[in-house]
């Protein structure tokens, strides 16, 4: 009998290579697992879409082909060059997603109200699915918002980068494995007993990357490291000798220096985004 689980995939740009490694392990060794639902945002949305489209191999080729670091290179290669459109085109099989037995929920942020929206993609059409995926990764100020049902949406990660809120209303006892990169355990922020009892964290924080500093490190070395670590961690969580209560964490002690770094880097990112928008618009 298969074990039912749910997955929650957070945002994190380059850190998404770690999620890719976890999903690849599940694909390679998941005969005893049944994925009841996936809730994803930002880069997690792309990874989830590739997984349910049976195109993790194609996504892996794109991950392996990236080899740059820094926000300016990210903007020039991924956004200004509209590289993301090619990726979406090649990793999506909208028919498979629509017909999947796994429920897929993707988050996006409405503009200008900044309300978080969960989109269920099962039983939806091609254009709808593509629009939701593109909205989920649309970087504010640098990419146009995507219109869905008459409203504009952008990256869901800016509103909630670890999209667990939907678990409060989902009528299921299936445990959720939440993959994220926050240095603080999310369980300390959950004030809902039923959610907390069914959440297992797969948490990767690399002190060497100084938390948010690493999100634009798309160097081949870093992408390969993240992928291999994700695959290895998944083998510990979901492998033959798995312990259902295991939480994969690194450097989980919350440190205020990480929080200071986070606010500093986000501020710098917003300033850089606005400057680039003016220079290249």
């Amino acid at each position: 009998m298969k074990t039912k689980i749910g997955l929650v995939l957070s945002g994190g740009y380059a850190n998404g290579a770690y999620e890719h490694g976890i999903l690849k392990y599940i694909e390679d060794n998941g005969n005893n697992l049944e994925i009841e639902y996936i809730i994803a945002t930002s880069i997690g949305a792309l990874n989830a879409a590739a997984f349910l489209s049976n195109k993790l191999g194609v996504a892996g080729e794109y991950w392996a082909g990236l080899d740059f670091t820094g926000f300016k290179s990210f903007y020039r290669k991924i956004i200004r060059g509209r590289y993301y459109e090619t990726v979406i085109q090649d990793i999506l099989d909208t028919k498979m997603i629509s017909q999947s037995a796994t429920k897929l929920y993707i988050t996006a942020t409405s503009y200008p109200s900044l309300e978080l929206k969960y989109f269920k993609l099962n039983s939806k059409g091609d254009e709808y699915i593509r629009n939701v995926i593109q909205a989920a990764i649309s970087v504010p100020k640098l990419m146009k918002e995507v219109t869905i049902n008459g409203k504009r949406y952008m990256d869901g990660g800016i509103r909630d980068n670890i999209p667990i809120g939907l678990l409060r209303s989902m009528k299921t006892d299936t445990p959720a494995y939440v993959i994220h990169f926050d240095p603080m355990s999310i369980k300390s922020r959950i004030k809902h007993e039923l959610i907390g009892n069914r959440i297992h964290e797969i948490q990767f924080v690399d002190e060497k990357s100084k938390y948010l500093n690493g999100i634009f490190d798309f160097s081949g070395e870093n992408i390969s490291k993240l992928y291999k670590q994700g695959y290895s961690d998944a083998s510990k969580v979901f492998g033959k000798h798995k312990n259902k209560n295991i939480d994969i964490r690194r450097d989980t002690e919350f440190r205020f220096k990480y929080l200071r770094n986070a606010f500093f880097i986000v501020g710098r990112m917003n300033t850089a985004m606005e400057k680039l928008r003016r220079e290249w618009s």
Side-chain angles (χ1 to χ4, degrees):
M1 183 176 178
K2 291 187 176 183
T3 300
K4 279 189 177 183
I5 66 168
L7 296 173
V8 178
L9 307 180
S10 73
Y13 295 102
N15 289 334
Y18 177 80
E19 295 176 338
H20 180 254
I22 288 176
L23 292 173
K24 192 66 173 71
Y25 177 87
I26 293 175
E27 181 180 79
D28 291 346
N29 304 278
N31 292 333
N32 296 320
L33 294 175
E34 179 182 343
I35 314 299
E36 179 181 317
Y37 59 85
I38 300 177
I39 307 170
T41 193
S42 201
I43 191 63
L46 281 181
N47 282 325
F51 178 69
L52 292 185
S53 297
N54 196 26
K55 291 192 176 182
L56 280 181
V58 177
E61 293 176 3
Y62 279 112
W63 276 114
L66 299 171
D67 193 11
F68 62 86
T69 60
F71 173 73
K72 288 188 177 180
S73 294
F74 170 78
Y75 177 82
R76 185 169 57 251
K77 294 178 180 291
I78 303 298
I79 297 178
R80 192 182 182 196
R82 306 184 78 84
Y83 184 73
Y84 62 90
E85 292 183 350
T86 301
V87 174
I88 290 175
Q89 178 65 34
D90 289 349
I91 70 169
L92 278 188
D93 185 322
T94 56
K95 185 176 181 180
M96 286 191 69
I97 291 174
S98 181
Q99 297 178 352
S100 176
T102 297
K103 301 180 184 70
L104 177 59
Y105 302 91
I106 300 297
T107 73
T109 304
S110 65
Y111 181 85
S113 65
L114 300 184
E115 294 178 355
L116 188 67
K117 170 77 173 179
Y118 289 88
F119 293 91
K120 186 178 180 181
L121 299 192
N122 306 82
S123 302
K124 299 298 183 181
D126 176 83
E127 183 178 3
Y128 184 91
I129 292 173
R130 291 182 185 279
N131 284 344
V132 170
I133 296 297
Q134 182 161 328
I137 64 167
S138 292
V139 182
K141 297 185 179 181
L142 298 184
M143 296 167 65
K144 291 183 178 179
E145 301 87 33
V146 180
T147 300
I148 304 170
N149 293 336
K151 295 183 179 180
R152 292 183 290 170
Y153 293 92
M154 55 188 178
D155 193 331
I158 66 171
R159 185 64 176 79
D160 188 358
N161 203 43
I162 309 176
I164 60 174
L166 185 62
L167 294 173
R168 295 185 177 91
S169 59
M170 289 179 66
K171 296 180 180 179
T172 178
D173 294 325
T174 300
Y177 287 81
V178 182
I179 304 166
H180 71 94
F181 313 96
D182 195 314
M184 184 177 181
S185 169
I186 60 171
K187 288 187 177 180
S188 64
R189 290 175 283 171
I190 297 172
K191 298 180 180 179
H192 194 296
E193 185 177 351
L194 293 179
I195 295 179
N197 288 342
R198 71 173 192 262
I199 277 182
H200 305 282
E201 295 182 75
I202 305 178
Q203 179 183 8
F204 181 81
V205 178
D206 186 353
E207 187 173 4
K208 293 181 181 179
S209 70
K210 296 181 181 179
Y211 191 35
L212 287 181
N213 287 352
I215 65 176
F216 294 116
D217 185 358
F218 289 89
S219 64
E221 178 183 2
N222 189 53
I223 295 300
S224 177
K225 178 192 74 173
L226 288 166
Y227 172 82
K228 291 177 180 177
Q229 191 62 62
Y231 200 95
S232 174
D233 287 352
S235 72
K236 298 171 185 175
V237 175
F238 303 115
K240 183 169 60 174
H241 303 293
K242 69 179 182 297
N243 175 351
K244 290 185 179 180
N245 294 318
I246 191 171
D247 286 352
I248 297 295
R249 300 179 185 174
R250 288 175 182 75
D251 195 24
T252 57
E253 176 187 358
F254 180 68
R255 301 178 182 181
F256 283 106
K257 69 175 183 178
Y258 284 128
L259 188 58
R260 289 196 298 269
N261 282 345
F263 284 121
F264 173 74
I265 294 169
V266 169
R268 289 290 299 274
M269 284 174 57
N270 287 337
T271 301
M273 286 179 180
E274 183 61 27
K275 181 179 179 181
L276 286 170
R277 186 186 65 79
R278 291 196 304 267
E279 290 177 354
W280 287 324
S281 60

